[in-house]
Amino acid sequence: MEVIPLDQPLGARVTGLDFRATPNKKLAAQIREIIHAHQVVIFPNQTFNAKQQLAFTKALGPIRKRALPPDYIVPTSSYETPGIAYVSNIRDENGEPTGVIPDGEMWFHHDTCYTDKPDKFTMLFAISVPKIGGNTIWCNMYQAWESMPEKLKNTIRGRKALNVYDYATIEKPNLDNLENIEKAWQPCIIRHPETGREALFINRLMTCQIEGLTIEESTKILDPIFQHSEQQKFVYEHKWKVNDFVIWDNLAVTHARTHFERTDDRRLRRSKVSGDALVT
Ligand SMILES: [Fe+2]
């Protein structure tokens, strides 16, 4: 195995591993360590199938079960293997989506931060990639927090924020009616359970309100924090190649997706390791 750190604010490339064989305990622990050290890890040229990806995911930790609202219509071909989902813009013969999230650009977010136990790791395996765009970008939330001006830090230190997500949109949901929308209060700054480092835990797509403030008051505080945290100097942008397998530490980074043409196929196979309640 070779670990090559990227010349970027985060990330490493790891070669010499073949995940058609499930990692043993020792290798799984090593992989977890590499993810915690580099936040995003790229394993190029993997050729494993969905079952093997699931076995790999299980070796790293408990598989994230589906957490979808009861009225969400699941695209039929998205979950052929329980624990595996497809992120895809490809339509079936009836014109129905075959993926779990909408097309197009997607703002920065932490996966499932709108639930009590946000995911620990998210993994994507590239099956089809668009010619242009559809890149995944990650933002280093350790660095975003550490470099934040004290004045800005003081606006959220020790506070909780409300994270919401509406599966029907890739933008913020209508905040006037949050009744039927999944949501959870989370600390604005978390202490990472493995590394012990403090990381910013708010994001543009899902964080909408700070404890004790109205949504309008919160927006005034949150906007400059989003702007600070999304600076290029904290970001790595990955242009996908078929057979790339990428894992990221969902508590240490946010991720987003760049625009791509609807007519250009993009299909990624996703699995996740579930997390625990967060601490400050
Ligand atoms: Fe996501």
Side-chain angles (χ1 to χ4, degrees):
M1 170 172 46
E2 195 183 3
V3 182
I4 308 143
L6 303 183
D7 186 18
Q8 295 284 337
L10 51 81
R13 255 172 98 86
V14 176
T15 57
L17 294 174
D18 181 347
F19 296 140
R20 284 177 297 181
T22 308
N24 61 21
K25 270 193 177 160
K26 191 178 158 212
L27 180 58
Q30 269 176 302
I31 293 169
R32 276 194 297 266
E33 236 171 73
I34 296 166
I35 304 166
H36 290 138
H38 298 281
Q39 295 87 48
V40 176
V41 183
I42 300 144
F43 302 91
N45 304 317
Q46 294 296 322
T47 56
F48 56 1
N49 61 29
K51 257 191 157 168
Q52 290 161 337
Q53 181 174 340
L54 202 64
F56 171 91
T57 311
K58 233 180 232 172
L60 259 58
I63 304 250
R64 173 75 179 198
K65 303 273 173 6
R66 268 167 56 184
L68 295 167
D71 58 347
Y72 180 75
I73 301 159
V74 181
T76 42
S77 50
S78 302
Y79 290 96
E80 289 146 3
T81 308
I84 292 281
Y86 290 89
V87 176
S88 176
N89 69 329
I90 301 172
R91 303 297 198 262
D92 65 15
E93 58 276 15
N94 303 316
E96 296 298 324
T98 62
V100 284
I101 51 174
D103 305 337
E105 183 192 349
M106 206 165 180
W107 290 355
F108 276 107
H109 62 282
H110 297 88
D111 278 348
T112 62
C113 63
Y114 49 88
T115 66
D116 291 340
K117 296 177 178 176
D119 300 332
K120 204 175 259 182
F121 302 135
T122 301
M123 321 181 189
L124 290 175
F125 172 69
I127 296 167
S128 309
V129 301
K131 284 188 277 301
I132 299 166
N135 300 341
T136 300
I137 43 185
W138 292 273
C139 189
N140 188 324
M141 298 304 266
Y142 292 133
Q143 291 173 9
W145 171 244
E146 285 157 11
S147 65
M148 196 180 283
E150 261 327 285
K151 221 176 142 187
L152 218 48
K153 277 187 172 176
N154 289 337
T155 59
I156 52 169
R157 207 193 293 270
R159 285 182 159 175
K160 285 190 169 177
L162 184 65
N163 294 304
V164 301
Y165 185 52
D166 180 355
Y167 283 82
T169 174
I170 50 168
E171 290 180 1
K172 275 233 168 83
N174 178 4
L175 300 178
D176 297 333
N177 183 11
L178 293 175
E179 267 310 291
N180 297 314
I181 284 180
E182 284 210 82
K183 51 189 173 299
W185 289 93
Q186 298 289 1
C188 292
I189 303 108
I190 57 161
R191 189 164 293 282
H192 193 288
E194 299 299 328
T195 65
R197 292 176 70 185
E198 281 189 325
L200 186 62
F201 200 74
I202 63 171
N203 63 75
R204 188 181 292 274
L205 181 63
M206 296 168 180
T207 311
C208 65
Q209 190 173 9
I210 297 172
E211 193 179 29
L213 302 179
T214 65
I215 286 180
E216 290 72 33
E217 290 164 342
S218 304
T219 304
K220 281 191 196 132
I221 290 174
L222 289 169
D223 276 352
I225 294 175
F226 298 148
Q227 273 170 25
H228 166 84
S229 65
E230 293 172 4
Q231 291 176 79
Q232 207 52 43
K233 62 182 175 186
F234 308 130
V235 166
Y236 166 59
E237 178 164 351
H238 185 65
K239 181 162 173 36
W240 288 94
K241 285 206 177 78
V242 168
N243 291 347
D244 276 350
F245 179 49
V246 178
I247 309 178
W248 66 89
D249 181 341
N250 188 49
L251 305 182
V253 297
T254 50
H255 59 286
R257 182 172 73 198
T258 64
H259 173 78
F260 61 102
E261 294 303 326
R262 236 181 149 165
T263 47
D264 215 359
D265 284 359
R266 185 180 191 270
R267 188 167 177 82
L268 303 162
R269 196 168 63 210
R270 187 184 71 190
S271 56
K272 291 168 164 193
V273 169
S274 64
D276 304 306
L278 299 173
V279 291
T280 48

